[in-house]
Amino acid sequence: MNRQEAGKKRVVITGLGAITPLGNTVADFWNGVQEGRVGVAPITAFDTENFKVKLAAEVKDFDAKNYMDAKSARRMERFSQFAVAASAEALRDSGLDLEKEDAYRVGVCIGSGIGSLQTAEIGTQRLLEKGPSRVDPLLVPRMISNMAAGNVAIQFGLKGKNLNVVTACATGTHCIGEAFRSILYGEADVMLAGGAEAAVTPLSIAGFTSLTALSENPDPKTASRPFDKNRDGFVMGEGSGVLVLEELTHALKRGAHIYAELLGYGATCDAYHITSPAEDGEGAAKAMEFAILDAGLKAEDIDYVNAHGTSTHHNDLFETKAIKLALGDHAYRVKINSTKSMTGHLLGAAGGVEAIVCVKSIEDSFVHQTMGLEESEEALDLDYCKGSSFSMPVNAAISNSLGFGGHNASIVIGRYEA
């Protein structure tokens, strides 16, 4: 029985907004994806002379004052600025007239895995050098991760449910899933959902390097190469991806353009290790299974999996096992790719940006190549879109996000059918 047969509400996607290493609009970002551009380059945010890692996928040519007034921009940290900018595009794209909406029925669920390490770094230095009385009074509201959602609500006058799910690299997908549930349960008519992150900072790069999680490959084109046997870690990225989720009858009543339908959501925990995914992939597999079940679909209905695909040894291997567990023999017939091969790993923003990729793949019948992938080891034997992109119908896609702490989130996005 599907959601429509069960008489439940349906949730559709009516707006998209993106700030990414490939471009600062959805159109520019998606053009970059279709062209197979890689947004990795030498780090410009700080001097990397004493760092082993020299590369990141930074957002380029971003000026917050193009999206908000100068005073608001000064009071926000970079991750919040990204969230506001992406939300502005998503709202504009949706065609919503907020003056005609009940502000208490329009909510926000935009998360950040880290918040602002920039503020923490500057504040710590000032504390040590000048004493506690010289710490910026806005340190806390700049730094804390819920300020992405808070600033979006303030900027656009959105007074409904306001959430900030924080599950490390699964943040964006959990935010979309929880926003989806909020609409299904009648708590909102519209939700802005996704993630924002800006963690290309000295402390972040040093910390992830010490954890041996980052690639030390000096070649921007191959540093992030998910599912390749020579992968050696992920590349830090930054940006924001925001979707406008809307209850179907509400969208139809106002004549909204509907990109796709959000069909299902699954969330689990590995309960295994603080950084490593479960080796058998069972936790991630269950998240996919729950999402497919929630969508009223079967494994055979899935055409495409946008994998978490970080380019780390453990993730790529264990996620492959998870896809096999969740989809069975059908795992060998679906297309699987990793957008992180082009954008790097946007941490808490990854799920939002990758959900947009799923929506555009459905709209344009296009599945992108996994860049940098040349050869996989024997255990990685699925179709990871090596060497070329594909023009093909996509009726149902899964987007996976897996976070430190064992957090697993999957959503199913499908072609909208009236």
Side-chain angles (χ1 to χ4, degrees):
M1 179 179 293
N2 63 31
R3 191 175 304 282
Q4 189 173 18
E5 290 168 341
K8 295 181 179 178
K9 294 177 185 292
R10 296 171 65 186
V11 178
V12 293
I13 298 163
T14 58
L16 306 172
I19 299 292
T20 78
L22 298 181
N24 297 337
T25 65
V26 170
D28 288 345
F29 165 61
W30 184 238
N31 286 339
V33 169
Q34 291 181 303
E35 293 168 3
R37 285 195 284 112
V38 174
V40 178
I43 292 171
T44 64
F46 61 91
D47 185 355
T48 62
E49 181 179 356
N50 297 321
F51 289 74
K52 294 180 181 178
V53 171
K54 310 289 187 181
L55 303 177
E58 294 174 301
V59 168
K60 301 153 187 76
D61 302 319
F62 177 81
D63 186 347
K65 293 191 291 296
N66 291 333
Y67 305 92
M68 65 201 80
D69 64 84
K71 181 179 179 181
S72 295
R74 286 195 301 271
R75 296 171 74 88
M76 286 184 217
E77 277 301 293
R78 190 169 170 87
F79 79 102
S80 289
Q81 293 174 347
F82 288 165
V84 169
S87 296
E89 182 185 13
L91 282 169
R92 189 166 56 249
D93 184 43
S94 75
L96 275 165
D97 184 347
L98 293 177
E99 292 186 0
K100 295 180 180 179
E101 297 294 329
D102 179 351
Y104 289 98
R105 299 289 298 169
V106 183
V108 181
C109 190
I110 297 174
S112 176
I114 291 179
S116 179
L117 280 178
Q118 293 93 332
T119 295
E121 291 172 7
I122 293 168
T124 299
Q125 184 175 4
R126 187 172 296 181
L127 172 66
L128 295 176
E129 292 178 356
K130 299 184 178 181
S133 64
R134 299 297 298 276
V135 170
D136 184 352
L138 292 179
L139 180 143
V140 172
R142 287 182 190 273
M143 177 178 66
I144 52 181
S145 62
N146 69 300
M147 281 300 163
N151 276 308
V152 167
I154 292 166
Q155 193 75 14
F156 302 106
L158 310 180
K159 298 181 179 181
K161 190 173 187 177
N162 195 285
L163 301 176
N164 169 50
V165 178
V166 182
T167 49
C169 307
T171 292
T173 301
H174 273 130
C175 283
I176 294 169
E178 294 302 319
F180 170 62
R181 291 282 168 84
S182 295
I183 295 173
L184 291 181
Y185 279 87
E187 297 172 338
D189 296 322
V190 179
M191 292 287 293
L192 274 68
E197 204 78 82
V200 183
T201 78
L203 186 61
S204 174
I205 297 298
F208 279 107
T209 302
S210 295
L211 193 60
T212 67
L214 293 182
S215 172
E216 297 181 17
N217 182 346
D219 180 7
K221 297 297 184 184
T222 60
S224 181
R225 44 182 165 183
F227 306 109
D228 189 273
K229 70 176 183 179
N230 293 314
R231 65 195 183 279
D232 70 331
F234 75 83
V235 173
M236 183 69 73
E238 62 175 0
S240 179
V242 175
L243 297 83
V244 174
L245 308 184
E246 193 167 349
E247 197 274 322
L248 176 60
T249 57
H250 185 276
L252 292 175
K253 185 180 293 185
R254 67 180 188 85
H257 169 70
I258 295 173
Y259 281 104
E261 184 169 358
L262 185 50
L263 296 171
Y265 167 49
T268 65
C269 183
D270 290 339
Y272 172 71
H273 191 272
I274 58 172
T275 58
S276 174
E279 295 182 10
D280 59 6
E282 184 178 3
K286 283 294 183 184
M288 284 183 267
E289 290 172 15
F290 291 158
I292 293 169
L293 179 65
D294 192 38
L297 301 179
K298 298 178 181 178
E300 293 75 19
D301 297 319
I302 302 302
D303 301 304
Y304 160 50
V305 177
N306 188 292
H308 190 56
T310 59
S311 188
T312 63
H313 175 271
H314 282 9
N315 175 92
D316 296 359
L317 176 59
F318 302 157
E319 188 177 8
T320 293
K321 293 181 179 180
I323 292 169
K324 292 177 182 179
L325 282 174
L327 302 184
D329 291 342
H330 187 62
Y332 291 90
R333 295 188 287 274
V334 300
K335 296 296 182 186
I336 301 164
N337 63 18
S338 173
T339 304
K340 294 179 181 69
S341 65
M342 289 179 268
T343 64
H345 191 351
L346 276 62
L347 305 184
V353 170
E354 290 159 16
I356 291 172
V357 171
C358 290
V359 170
K360 298 298 287 184
S361 293
I362 291 168
E363 182 182 45
D364 289 355
S365 298
F366 175 87
V367 175
H368 73 72
Q369 176 182 350
T370 297
M371 303 303 295
L373 173 57
E374 297 178 354
E375 184 180 359
S376 297
E377 62 262 43
E378 185 177 350
L380 274 62
D381 57 352
L382 301 179
D383 184 350
Y384 306 108
C385 300
K386 179 180 72 174
S388 66
S389 300
F390 296 88
S391 294
M392 55 173 277
V394 179
N395 294 309
I398 291 179
S399 181
N400 287 335
S401 293
L402 318 176
F404 281 179
H407 302 289
N408 306 305
S410 297
I411 53 175
V412 176
I413 299 172
R415 187 178 300 278
Y416 169 67
E417 296 179 1

